[in-house]
Amino acid sequence: MKIVIIGGGFAGINLAKELVNHPQIHVTLVDKNNYNFFPPLIYQVATAFLEPSSISYPFRKFFAGKKNLQFRLGELLSVVPAENKIILNNGELTYDHLVFATGAETSYFGMENVMKNAIPMKTLNDAIEMRNALLKNLEKAAITKDIRKRRKLLTIVVAGGGPTGVEVSGMFAEMRKSILLKEYPELETSASNVYLVDGGDALLSPMSKASQEDTLDALTKLGVVVKLHTRVTDYIDDTVHFANGETIKTKNLIWAAGVSAKIFEGIPAESYGRGKRMATDEYNKVNGLVNIYAIGDTAITAGDKNFPDGHPQVAQVAIQQGLNLAKNFKALVQNKPLKPFAYNDKGSMAIIGKNKAVVDLPSPKWHFKGFFAWVIWLFIHLISLITYRNRLNTFWNWMVAYFARDQSLRMIIRPDKRS
């Protein structure tokens, strides 16, 4: 059986790992990057508390010695279901079974200026670009004499009150207190604000009310200005515009407000559901297609009675769907019954700052906050990294940052565009 997986995120890599060394299955994983990375810690790379290599690992290094796994660097252009073939930007591949594990991309809700001018928070490239942009703006602020320009350079607006928005705004607030004045004495008397804006009526909307209230309280104490019921409508001329008529002048709009799946040529329009996600049955097979599957953020799966409207686009769903589909492929080879996917919700969490986090566990319904929740967050994210090397590097960086209250990774690195 020849399986081609498009995408090496949580869903794709766990599917591939579960099929290692199976004598009757050959897997080719296709990705436009040559590395797997850990999205929940992207913001720590963006704020220069982790190196990119701490949360990423090359696919070929990971696949080395695994005889039935193969990696192909490439970007999917189209699918030809009638010929069991995909067209890449650098060639073609045939398959017996095709799996989409392409995740989701940043959604700007049709706002052209926001897409052009805001700083996204979705990929490792985004994180490095964000780090460079913020550090360059700090350097500009340190030498400008114009108070209004300096305020725009120092003001940060984070759009999106989910875990990423909460975590990055908390990090900025702590950096402002512990690092900014120490390294930029020129800015000692300058005003700077961190705003966290969201169109809803609460932060961390999928989490418990207790987590929402604790998060709001902790961020407010850190000095973050939280503005709920505040939806971004435009970002032009260094000014963020909101639906209620308010504006904030800033050079730094961090966009963590939404994601959308992708449309692929060759997949029929009727195979897509809400949010451009591929609609699948309970075995993750795409509706209307015979041997094409979708897992993770790019899929909206029917048949789970506990999630009749589809599963949340979170890492645990992607991981569990990858593992379940791998078991079904093994069962398919052995002519055994397939197992429908049922999501086991293990809880949700978000870090707010040093010694501050919130954790919700579904069964029993427990809520934790503060230092204990922070330790749980650290542990879960450490063990979720793909290799021991990633875990050790990240743990070491965290310990240095915790005890020194700082990191020495704030370098502006600009790759040569000619390459």
Side-chain angles (χ1 to χ4, degrees):
M1 180 189 291
K2 189 159 55 174
I3 299 172
V4 174
I5 305 169
I6 310 295
F10 285 120
I13 200 69
N14 278 280
L15 171 57
K17 281 168 61 179
E18 194 70 12
L19 296 174
V20 167
N21 296 330
H22 194 290
Q24 296 171 276
I25 296 176
H26 182 272
V27 176
T28 301
L29 189 147
V30 179
D31 200 289
K32 62 183 178 182
N33 298 311
N34 75 331
Y35 55 86
N36 167 276
F37 69 97
F38 191 67
L41 294 180
I42 280 285
Y43 79 98
Q44 294 203 10
V45 175
T47 51
F49 272 78
L50 284 177
E51 300 173 8
S53 60
S54 295
I55 66 166
S56 56
Y57 200 75
F59 285 118
R60 289 193 179 276
K61 179 73 172 174
F62 187 76
F63 284 8
K66 301 173 175 67
K67 295 182 179 179
N68 71 324
L69 297 189
Q70 182 180 353
F71 173 70
R72 174 71 175 266
L73 180 67
E75 191 165 355
L76 180 67
L77 300 180
S78 63
V79 187
V80 189
E83 300 179 32
N84 286 353
K85 181 174 72 174
I86 60 171
I87 312 298
L88 304 174
N89 63 334
N90 54 10
E92 301 179 356
L93 283 176
T94 59
Y95 60 83
D96 296 319
H97 297 275
L98 176 64
V99 182
F100 281 90
T102 44
E105 60 187 359
T106 302
S107 173
Y108 299 94
F109 307 107
M111 292 181 285
E112 196 73 22
N113 290 323
V114 174
M115 182 177 71
K116 288 179 181 177
N117 302 315
I119 305 170
M121 276 284 293
K122 189 64 181 169
T123 69
L124 205 52
N125 289 344
D126 292 340
I128 294 170
E129 291 289 344
M130 176 175 154
R131 184 184 68 186
N132 286 347
L134 294 173
L135 290 174
K136 285 189 285 186
N137 283 344
L138 282 173
E139 295 298 333
K140 290 177 184 177
I143 61 174
T144 186
K145 303 301 182 185
D146 188 313
I147 294 174
R148 286 176 296 180
K149 285 183 180 179
R150 180 180 287 186
R151 185 175 292 122
K152 281 198 296 186
L153 289 163
L154 294 177
T155 296
I156 294 174
V157 178
V158 181
T164 300
V166 165
E167 289 163 0
V168 76
S169 57
M171 181 72 84
F172 284 139
E174 291 197 328
M175 287 176 66
R176 182 178 57 178
K177 290 183 176 181
S178 63
I179 295 171
L180 189 64
L181 299 183
K182 182 170 61 176
E183 295 191 4
Y184 293 86
E186 305 95 329
L187 304 177
E188 185 175 1
T189 59
S190 301
S192 64
N193 282 312
V194 178
Y195 295 91
L196 176 59
V197 301
D198 191 271
D201 56 6
L203 301 175
L204 303 175
S205 58
M207 295 188 70
S208 68
K209 187 172 178 61
S211 284
Q212 295 168 359
E213 292 174 351
D214 291 339
T215 300
L216 178 60
D217 181 61
L219 285 175
T220 302
K221 288 178 179 175
L222 282 172
V224 177
V225 180
V226 179
K227 300 173 80 68
L228 300 173
H229 305 288
T230 307
R231 181 172 57 85
V232 175
T233 57
D234 205 353
Y235 180 42
I236 188 169
D237 296 331
D238 301 332
T239 304
V240 184
H241 295 262
F242 302 101
N244 60 9
E246 292 182 20
T247 60
I248 297 175
K249 292 189 176 297
T250 178
K251 288 278 189 181
N252 311 291
L253 173 60
I254 313 300
W255 193 255
V259 296
S260 171
K262 308 169 190 174
I263 298 287
F264 294 96
E265 184 180 337
I267 301 297
E270 55 270 24
S271 295
Y272 291 95
R274 189 178 67 253
K276 302 179 185 177
R277 296 161 78 181
M278 293 186 197
T280 78
D281 63 16
E282 64 268 37
Y283 305 105
N284 285 105
K285 185 181 291 185
V286 177
N287 294 347
L289 298 169
V290 177
N291 56 349
I292 298 181
Y293 302 78
I295 53 178
D297 288 356
T298 199
I300 182 163
T301 303
D304 191 336
K305 62 181 181 181
N306 294 321
F307 297 88
D309 298 322
H311 301 100
Q313 290 170 291
V314 296
Q316 269 302 317
V317 172
I319 293 168
Q320 291 178 34
Q321 286 187 338
L323 297 176
N324 189 74
L325 185 56
K327 291 174 183 175
N328 281 342
F329 279 139
K330 293 176 184 177
L332 205 59
V333 168
Q334 299 170 342
N335 293 314
K336 291 183 177 180
L338 305 184
K339 180 183 177 183
F341 177 72
Y343 176 46
N344 176 23
D345 185 0
K346 296 182 178 180
S348 51
M349 60 186 71
I351 194 169
I352 305 162
K354 185 177 180 181
N355 299 335
K356 301 179 185 72
V358 287
V359 173
D360 289 337
L361 299 180
S363 183
K365 287 191 174 183
W366 284 346
H367 164 72
F368 303 104
K369 67 175 182 177
F371 179 77
F372 183 62
W374 180 77
V375 171
I376 294 174
W377 188 96
L378 294 181
F379 175 75
I380 293 298
H381 283 71
L382 268 183
I383 64 171
S384 298
L385 289 164
I386 192 171
T387 67
Y388 288 109
R389 184 189 70 84
N390 290 137
R391 294 167 196 165
L392 287 171
N393 283 352
T394 299
F395 180 74
W396 170 253
N397 277 291
W398 280 350
M399 290 303 100
V400 169
Y402 184 82
F403 290 108
R405 298 187 178 184
D406 197 0
Q407 262 295 7
S408 55
L409 303 175
R410 285 181 292 283
M411 284 81 73
I412 301 170
I413 300 173
R414 293 178 283 243
D416 188 340
K417 297 294 184 183
R418 291 173 297 177
S419 62

